[in-house]
Amino acid sequence: MRNLKLTLSYDGTEFSGWQVQPDAVTVQGTLASVIGRITGEKVLPQGSGRTDAGVHALAQVMTFVTESSVPTENFLKAMNGILPASVRVLEVTEAPPEFHARHSARAKTYRYRMYRESICPPFLARYVWHYPYPLDEKAMARAAEVVVGEYDFTSFAAVDPERSREGEPAINVRTIFSSAWERVEDELVYTVRGSGFLHHMVRNLVGTFILVGRGTLTADDTGRILETRKRSSAGATAPASGLYLVSVEY
C-alpha cells in the first residue's frame, strides 16, 4: 500500500465545494472519479480542509492510499490529462503511512481579494468580491490585528448543527498567527494564517471587517464580538468568490 500526497489548485466557481455530495459536482468527487479511472480502485481522497462552494485553492493538499504501482510522475500526467481544466494537480509525492492531509496539518493560510474600483473587469469578477463603496481601510487593518492570538471563534463560525455530534461539543478555539489587510493596486487583500479555521470563519471575519470599514463598528468592537461567542454579533458572510486557500503547512 502507498500513501500518496497531492498538491492541487482549482477554480472553485463551478464546484459545490470540496466535500463529495449526492447529485452535485464537487472537487473531492471529481478527483475520486479520476483516481478510480487510473487505478481501478474506489478511493475517497482526504483534503486538508473542506473549501465551500465557489471557494478557490492555490495549493490544496490531499492524500489517498492505493495499491497501484503507477509512478508518481505518471500519476501527475494521467490525472491532469483527465481532470477538467479548472483543476490541476501540481505535485504527486510518496508520503509516510501515518501522514494525513488534514490531521497532519499545522497551519493554513487563506487570502481574500476585494476589488475596489467602480467597474470590475468581467474576467476578474468570479475571483474577487467587487466592493466599490467607501471604506476606512486603515480601520479595517486595525480590526484585523485584534484577532491575532488564541481565541474561541464561535462568533465567526457558521451555525452548523452537524459539526457537533451528540456528546461531542464543537471545539472552536483556534490560534491566528497573522491577520492583515493590504492594498494591492485596485484590490484590498486580506491574508490570514492560523492553526486551523472553522466553517465560514474567514468569510465571516471579512464580513465583520467590512462593517468596521463602513463605520458601523469600531476596531475595538472586534474584540467584544469575539468575547460574546455568538454568531449574531458578527457581520454577514462575505461572498465565496474572493476566498482562496493559499497554502498548508506540515
Side-chain angles (χ1 to χ4, degrees):
M1 299 296 286
R2 304 159 70 202
N3 188 24
L4 296 187
K5 172 190 174 187
L6 278 66
T7 303
L8 54 140
S9 179
Y10 50 84
D11 174 346
T13 307
E14 305 300 331
F15 291 99
S16 297
W18 166 268
Q19 188 174 12
V20 65
Q21 303 173 41
D23 304 318
V25 179
T26 67
V27 181
Q28 186 183 37
T30 300
L31 290 163
S33 176
V34 170
I35 293 169
R37 288 179 60 180
I38 296 170
T39 67
E41 302 168 338
K42 186 176 182 179
V43 300
L44 187 64
Q46 299 300 306
S48 69
R50 301 172 180 176
T51 50
D52 295 329
V55 174
H56 317 292
L58 302 182
Q60 169 73 287
V61 176
M62 75 172 203
T63 49
F64 69 94
V65 176
T66 178
E67 293 183 358
S68 171
S69 60
V70 176
T72 54
E73 60 271 21
N74 291 357
F75 241 114
L76 178 71
K77 294 176 183 177
M79 290 192 70
N80 284 334
I82 302 172
L83 284 165
S86 54
V87 184
R88 292 294 88 178
V89 179
L90 307 178
E91 183 181 45
V92 180
T93 59
E94 299 265 1
E98 67 275 10
F99 181 84
H100 188 281
R102 180 165 59 88
H103 301 314
S104 302
R106 294 291 175 262
K108 297 177 185 176
T109 298
Y110 279 90
R111 182 172 299 142
Y112 196 94
R113 297 170 56 189
M114 187 181 302
Y115 192 77
R116 300 286 292 124
E117 294 301 303
S118 59
I119 299 174
C120 182
F123 301 110
L124 189 62
R126 59 196 278 163
Y127 304 114
V128 296
W129 180 13
H130 182 210
Y131 197 94
Y133 313 108
L135 289 172
D136 184 339
E137 297 178 5
K138 291 182 178 179
M140 292 172 66
R142 291 193 297 272
E145 295 173 356
V146 174
V147 301
V148 174
E150 183 180 81
Y151 298 103
D152 184 318
F153 282 92
T154 298
S155 294
F156 297 99
V159 179
D160 187 354
E162 294 182 4
R163 289 192 64 253
S164 179
R165 296 179 181 176
E166 187 175 353
E168 293 183 20
I171 299 174
N172 291 342
V173 175
R174 298 292 186 273
T175 301
I176 298 300
F177 305 120
S178 61
S179 168
W181 286 96
E182 64 174 334
R183 257 288 185 164
V184 182
E185 298 180 347
D186 295 331
E187 295 182 22
L188 186 60
V189 180
Y190 176 59
T191 304
V192 58
R193 176 176 174 266
S195 62
F197 295 87
L198 304 169
H199 188 202
H200 284 180
M201 179 172 156
V202 178
R203 292 164 61 192
N204 291 340
L205 283 168
V206 170
T208 303
F209 297 148
I210 283 289
L211 296 181
V212 174
R214 290 167 52 182
T216 306
L217 299 173
T218 67
D220 291 338
D221 287 330
T222 306
R224 288 190 281 273
I225 291 170
L226 271 172
E227 292 173 358
T228 67
R229 300 181 186 179
K230 293 181 180 179
R231 174 67 187 98
S232 57
S233 301
T237 306
S241 58
L243 183 61
Y244 300 74
L245 171 59
V246 175
S247 62
V248 187
E249 300 170 45
Y250 294 94

